[in-house]
Amino acid sequence: NILTQREATEGTFVQTHLKAGAPSIESYDNAQYAQRYGGDLMLNHRKGKWDISLATSYLRNDIAGRREGDVYTLRNDTLTRFPSDGERSFDEINYSGQLAIGYAPNEDNHLNFGFYGGRRTKDRTADILYYDNHAIYQGERLYTLQYFNENLRIRKGDFIFSALDYVHRFKNQSELSTSILYEYTLLGGPTTNRNLAWPDTQIILQDEFNTNENPLHGVRWELNYSTKERPIGTWEFGYQFRNLNHTGDFLYERRSNATGDFELVPEFSSEVDLHRQIHSAYGVLTGTRGAWDYSVGLRLEYMGRDLELRDKTGALDTTYAYDFLQPFPSASFQYRFNDEMRLKGAYSRRVQRTTTFKMNPFPEREHSETLEQGDPELLPEFIDLLELGIIKDFGEQSVYATGYYRSVHNLVNRVNTVYNDTILNRIYSNVGEGLSLGLELGSELRFTEWWDAFIGGNVYRYTIDGTFDDRLVNTQAWVYSFNANTTFKLPKKTSVQWSLNYLSDRNTAQGEDSRFFSPNLTLRKTFKGEKLTMTLQWLHMDMGLLDTNEQRITTWREGEFFTTTNYLYEVDLIMVNFTYTFNQRKNKGSFIKSEFGAQEF
């Protein structure tokens, strides 16, 4: 929603950003060089009853990279193995324009209008050489084959949405607000997949094409009321309605080697229409009594979902219906022992809805070795989180510790089955329940006036318990992460910050995801009375010594398949950013955000 700003200083705020990236230090043998540059301009003007904001932006943000893979399948006592290596890079372009208009005829009434229009494209290139595709039966190699897979997955999105908000404050300081948002997003492809001979790539072995056109229309309307503050606290009540219509036309064609014409592949082609309505009502009490701060709330939600699924031959026309009516309670408290120590606790229950893409059971040729598909009966995840923590201040320094328990019902994982000897089915499926029991620790440290730091860590026991494909899923592991940063304030309005984020190996329903880490360095300096700020970033520091910004994903099923892929994304990125503010008034502009399309993209 557009946020209403009261009693803000009148005037004009103008700010512009420019961003540029140095050429890639490593090429990764990609066909094209990565490009990184962009800029934006933002204006906010407040005068009398009016508050007007305008913004426009453009960003090109490519990432170079590679993937190294190894897969084998076991079928009819024959082991087929197909190791691979090649490019996996992303070319991304975003540009948009935004408008926000606020009008306040008096201090008790505020009207806001917001508009956003933009386009986003993200091209994923996966040009992979399968350099030793072979099969072994009873210890003898049956054949050896090399081929080159040229794969391009284009993801396009045209976003247009607008919102209208109204807020009224009554004489008794209670408040009524309402908001309506409409969003249209046109998502599309295509995906092209070509298997070529090697080393003579002029010979086409297989050529496939998938359109992926899927527009959506979304509406959200809400009504909220908050009372004036009472001895027990402030009550808030509200209702929200959301409606989503998301249609997809997935035309999959394969070129005939005999005629050269593209022909329909019906087992991969489909039409998908998703209709989802959500009605929810809530009530929240927030208050303070003595040393206690507290909040107690309850949201009651009804969701109805219909997924209409058709093939291109007319043989299939089925509707999958699902609905639920469930309460989602929440509660939190804080108790102040004194000015330096606080005890906090919270419980919440929420729902994580699945995207339409993950419910389409018709496969998409992700690349040569993978068909990606969904589950039309995929259930949303229901998440319960219980936390208890303590915070202790020591002057300008502090430490905290939080224990937590997190339960995810209908956990969604990406799992695999064997499609044929050289292709795996990648499926999004509910695999059971995910349980996390852990402890998070952290400390903010101030060593001197010019040197401070933060260090935090998280460790938990993660268990997945359930079934997939009529087989038990039961996996457990300790998972940990930590992040740290330290900042040095140097003379002449200059500062340097170094940060590190690390995530350990994590178990999944069929395997594990490897550790991932990224160190970064930022130099910041201001000029011209703090109107101009320059930021120099060294992202994913590696210097050829570390395995920064890479992650291996491994899954297996005994007696059927094993697959492992290491994704190596660009390291040692050098970025420079310039921000110029034409005056020193604080920015009061606020713009609407996507409710539906950003998640589906």
Side-chain angles (χ1 to χ4, degrees), residues 515-582:
R515 60 93 187 102
F516 177 88
F517 67 92
S518 174
N520 303 278
L521 185 67
T522 301
L523 172 66
R524 186 176 186 270
K525 181 172 176 56
T526 59
F527 305 87
K528 296 184 178 295
E530 299 188 356
K531 286 188 174 183
L532 175 64
T533 301
M534 184 195 75
T535 304
L536 182 65
Q537 295 175 298
W538 181 4
L539 304 177
H540 307 305
M541 301 170 66
D542 185 85
M543 299 171 290
L545 303 174
L546 308 172
D547 296 327
T548 301
N549 203 24
E550 67 177 70
Q551 185 175 48
R552 180 175 293 276
I553 297 177
T554 304
T555 62
W556 65 86
R557 179 176 275 184
E558 294 293 338
E560 292 189 22
F561 71 88
F562 174 88
T563 173
T564 182
T565 306
N566 194 29
Y567 297 94
L568 301 92
Y569 291 118
E570 192 170 353
V571 298
D572 296 322
L573 278 73
I574 305 299
M575 302 291 298
V576 60
N577 301 272
F578 293 95
T579 301
Y580 190 84
T581 305
F582 290 85

Side-chain angles (χ1 to χ4, degrees), residues 217-267:
H217 300 263
V219 175
R220 184 200 66 211
W221 176 72
E222 60 183 49
L223 182 68
N224 305 285
Y225 176 77
S226 62
T227 68
K228 70 175 184 178
E229 188 172 355
R230 302 177 184 276
I232 194 176
T234 301
W235 287 95
E236 296 180 44
F237 304 95
Y239 165 80
Q240 187 181 89
F241 167 77
R242 275 178 285 177
N243 184 79
L244 172 66
N245 290 325
H246 191 182
T247 61
D249 188 3
F250 304 98
L251 182 65
Y252 197 101
E253 296 181 322
R254 180 179 297 138
R255 186 193 298 271
S256 169
N257 290 336
T259 65
D261 297 329
F262 278 94
E263 300 175 350
L264 178 71
V265 182
E267 60 268 28

Side-chain angles (χ1 to χ4, degrees), residues 140-151:
E140 295 186 8
R141 181 175 286 224
L142 303 181
Y143 66 85
T144 298
L145 174 66
Q146 291 182 322
Y147 69 95
F148 184 75
N149 178 239
E150 185 180 86
N151 183 275

Side-chain angles (χ1 to χ4, degrees), residues 7-28:
E7 302 176 0
T9 305
E10 290 188 347
T12 302
F13 173 88
V14 181
Q15 189 176 77
T16 184
H17 298 268
L18 295 175
K19 178 191 293 283
S24 301
I25 294 177
E26 297 187 33
S27 70
Y28 298 91

Side-chain angles (χ1 to χ4, degrees), residues 1 12 44 65 73 83 158 199 208 211 216 276 291 293 335 347 350 364 382 443 494 504 551 575:
N1 291 338
T12 302
N44 172 240
T73 61
D158 294 337
E208 299 174 322
T211 55
L216 66 81
R276 187 177 69 203
D293 297 323
Y335 179 76
Y347 166 76
R350 63 185 180 88
E364 177 187 359
F382 295 101
S443 178
T494 303
S504 74
Q551 185 175 48
M575 302 291 298

Side-chain angles (χ1 to χ4, degrees), residues 337 341-344 388-392 399-403:
F337 294 100
M341 183 177 289
R342 303 178 301 280
L343 179 70
K344 289 186 174 183
L388 182 64
I390 191 167
I391 303 171
K392 172 65 175 175
V399 295
Y400 69 87
T402 302

Side-chain angles (χ1 to χ4, degrees), residues 322-502:
Y322 171 76
D323 60 58
F324 69 77
L325 176 64
Q326 292 201 28
F328 294 90
S330 64
S332 64
F333 74 89
Q334 175 181 268
Y335 179 76
R336 298 182 299 276
F337 294 100
N338 49 52
D339 290 340
E340 296 182 344
M341 183 177 289
R342 303 178 301 280
L343 179 70
K344 289 186 174 183
Y347 166 76
S348 65
R349 188 168 193 264
R350 63 185 180 88
V351 58
Q352 180 66 45
R353 277 170 269 274
T354 183
T355 60
T356 308
F357 168 76
K358 293 180 180 179
M359 290 189 291
N360 184 359
F362 282 77
E364 177 187 359
R365 193 72 178 271
E366 182 69 10
H367 48 75
S368 178
E369 69 191 54
T370 303
L371 293 175
E372 194 164 56
Q373 63 187 111
D375 179 355
E377 298 181 286
L378 195 66
L379 301 175
E381 295 179 335
F382 295 101
I383 303 168
D384 292 275
L385 177 62
L386 180 65
E387 300 175 290
L388 182 64
I390 191 167
I391 303 171
K392 172 65 175 175
D393 297 327
F394 300 91
E396 295 183 342
Q397 307 183 73
S398 68
V399 295
Y400 69 87
T402 302
Y404 61 90
Y405 173 80
R406 185 173 187 262
S407 172
V408 182
H409 304 274
N410 305 328
L411 177 68
V412 177
N413 261 207
R414 199 175 69 175
V415 288
N416 292 317
T417 61
V418 177
Y419 178 76
N420 64 24
D421 56 350
T422 60
I423 300 177
L424 296 178
N425 270 324
R426 179 187 295 164
I427 305 169
Y428 293 92
S429 181
N430 297 117
V431 296
E433 186 172 21
L435 301 175
S436 303
L437 181 62
L439 177 66
E440 185 175 359
L441 301 169
S443 178
E444 294 184 6
L445 306 171
R446 187 174 180 84
F447 303 109
T448 68
E449 291 185 356
W450 51 270
W451 181 21
D452 57 48
F454 169 82
I455 184 168
N458 181 23
V459 59
Y460 61 96
R461 184 69 171 176
Y462 185 49
T463 301
I464 302 176
D465 189 10
T467 60
F468 167 69
D469 197 25
D470 296 326
R471 300 197 188 180
L472 291 177
V473 173
N474 193 313
T475 176
Q476 301 180 24
W478 285 101
V479 181
Y480 62 91
S481 65
F482 63 84
N483 58 83
N485 66 69
T486 183
T487 303
F488 299 90
K489 297 179 181 178
L490 306 178
K492 298 183 179 180
K493 298 181 180 179
T494 303
S495 65
V496 177
Q497 184 180 82
W498 179 83
S499 64
L500 172 66
N501 298 287
Y502 182 93

